[in-house]
Amino acid sequence: RSHVSELTRELEAQKAAFMTTYRGPRAAAPAPEAPAARQPVKSVVDAAERARTDFAQTLLFLPGTLESARQSPYRWPDKVYALFQALDELTRTWQQTGSIGSGWHDALKPKGFDYSEFISPTAKGKFGEEYTFQYEGRPILFQHHVTLGARSADTCISIHWHRDEARKRLVIGWCGKHLSNTQS
């Protein structure tokens, strides 16, 4: 009993010291405002413009990208935005750890996207200029891509990018109708 009594006095002394230092309850911090509800993505150019703003640290959109997006009649722009979200997530991991932990194909597949690292040698030879964009003053072949859908422009879209290894970011060069290949 004496030990319990001694511990109780010590606890009360600690509480008094804490309250002297703490000086009572602090005013609660104001609750952060909930972000305004966003409108659904209405067009491919809307998806690209949102992604350009939302993912500015990971995705760089070349000026012509928005024009290709503006001209695209693709019916499911929310899928385009979802691809940009996935690319942002993977690029953030790449920036933070130096790696995405697997290949880009394996990382994008579970997110529902079929990634291709290269265009076909025939498309590269015959139509390479369509896949080449100016970045930092030099022409670069933007082979990395995801194609969503197939057949016509309203059901098929292709997004092409270049991996800037030095800055660990993706440079988006095209977001529109499928570029020329041997099947188009």
Side-chain angles (χ1 to χ4, degrees):
R1 287 181 189 166
S2 67
H3 185 60
V4 169
S5 180
E6 184 182 328
L7 289 174
T8 302
R9 281 190 300 277
E10 189 177 320
L11 177 61
E12 293 303 319
Q14 290 293 329
K15 284 181 182 178
F18 176 77
M19 290 308 288
T20 301
T21 305
Y22 181 66
R23 299 183 200 267
R26 295 181 183 157
E33 286 187 33
R38 291 180 92 175
Q39 295 294 320
V41 179
K42 295 180 180 168
S43 65
V44 174
V45 72
D46 184 27
E49 286 174 341
R50 284 188 193 192
R52 182 179 67 169
T53 301
D54 294 348
F55 312 127
Q57 300 299 314
T58 56
L59 307 179
L60 173 68
F61 287 77
L62 296 179
T65 306
L66 294 179
E67 186 54 37
S68 65
R70 189 170 284 106
Q71 294 178 13
S72 175
Y74 184 69
R75 292 185 205 171
W76 301 283
D78 53 319
K79 288 183 182 180
V80 175
Y81 186 80
L83 171 62
F84 290 136
Q85 282 180 309
L87 293 174
D88 169 71
E89 180 184 320
L90 293 173
T91 304
R92 283 184 191 282
T93 301
W94 179 33
Q95 290 172 341
Q96 293 165 1
T97 66
S99 168
I100 61 168
S102 66
W104 288 83
H105 179 78
D106 291 339
L108 284 167
K109 193 69 168 174
K111 296 177 184 305
F113 302 106
D114 193 16
Y115 163 77
S116 296
E117 188 171 359
F118 302 104
I119 58 174
S120 74
T122 306
K124 186 177 178 180
K126 284 186 170 187
F127 311 108
E129 67 282 350
E130 287 186 41
Y131 296 87
T132 301
F133 303 94
Q134 291 287 320
Y135 176 57
E136 295 190 330
R138 60 188 175 98
I140 296 177
L141 188 64
F142 282 52
Q143 295 193 81
H144 304 279
H145 68 282
V146 166
T147 298
L148 302 172
R151 297 194 181 105
S152 65
D154 66 336
T155 60
C156 180
I157 191 167
S158 192
I159 297 91
H160 284 260
W161 66 87
H162 164 70
R163 284 197 313 245
D164 183 336
E165 300 287 340
R167 291 180 184 85
K168 288 188 171 60
R169 69 178 174 190
L170 302 182
V171 182
I172 313 298
W174 184 262
C175 178
K177 74 177 191 87
H178 200 289
L179 294 169
S180 298
N181 62 23
T182 55
Q183 297 173 352
S184 58

